[in-house]
Amino acid sequence: MTCMAHKIAESRGLLTAEDVDLIRELARQLPAPAEVVDLGVGGGTSALAVLVEARPGDVFVTSYDIDEQNLHWAGVAMRNEGREDDWAGHLRPSLDGVRDFADGTLDLILLDTSHEYDDTVAELAAWLPKLRDGVGLMWCHDYVGDYVGCRRAIDEAVAAGAAYIVVPPGRGLGVVLGRP
């Protein structure tokens, strides 16, 4: 099924159709109300993939990005889809946003930032505790492909017991993690 998130993914080339499908599947499992954080906005594709699966008011997505243009286009996408009341974009690094949420309060985190090893290690350490105990999930993009630092950081977090793999690679470019 094609939605606006698929169209944005195709035009921007940052996510695959399989990535959008997996995010939409995760969104269908969210409770209402749900709290979602989107780290690395791109064009708003991942946030929109979540919101397309929820009734207005059932899910709120907070996005962080360091690129003003990315946030602008994400905001345009939200307005075009009538979801601006369900979304907030912040021009801040992802690690600055971690202070905005208490531990154990997030239902879904979408991680798609620098893909560098050190950044990914820091983001996993900071954001995994924010997941709701036993049910919160983190989708990490670009686990598959050329981003070896991203993959290494995720593998190390899993090996250390900080996370476990819920949906293994093979459905798009990402992997889905849970927190023990």
Side-chain angles (χ1 to χ4, degrees), residues 36-170:
V36 177
V37 168
D38 178 25
L39 305 172
V41 174
T45 313
S46 51
L48 203 54
V50 169
L51 292 173
V52 75
E53 292 298 331
R55 293 186 319 232
D58 281 356
V59 175
F60 192 83
V61 179
T62 304
S63 297
Y64 298 91
D65 204 297
I66 58 171
D67 187 306
E68 190 171 352
Q69 208 170 8
N70 284 348
L71 283 169
H72 166 77
W73 289 113
V76 168
M78 298 309 148
R79 284 187 299 280
N80 286 345
E81 293 299 303
R83 300 312 294 264
E84 63 271 18
D85 291 340
D86 297 316
W87 179 82
H90 300 282
L91 185 63
R92 294 172 31 202
S94 64
L95 291 174
D96 285 357
V98 81
R99 294 186 303 264
D100 296 340
F101 301 93
D103 287 355
T105 59
L106 298 177
D107 299 293
L108 178 62
I109 299 171
L110 307 164
L111 176 60
D112 191 8
T113 57
S114 77
H115 306 95
E116 298 296 326
Y117 172 78
D118 290 336
D119 293 339
T120 306
V121 167
E123 287 166 333
L124 290 170
W127 284 101
L128 278 169
K130 304 302 176 186
L131 291 175
R132 202 173 296 281
D133 291 339
V135 295
L137 298 174
M138 178 184 278
W139 173 78
C140 303
H141 194 236
D142 292 320
Y143 180 85
V144 175
D146 297 331
Y147 297 102
V148 294
C150 181
R151 182 173 47 253
R152 180 176 148 216
I154 293 166
D155 288 346
E156 288 175 3
V158 170
Y164 60 93
I165 294 178
V166 176
V167 177

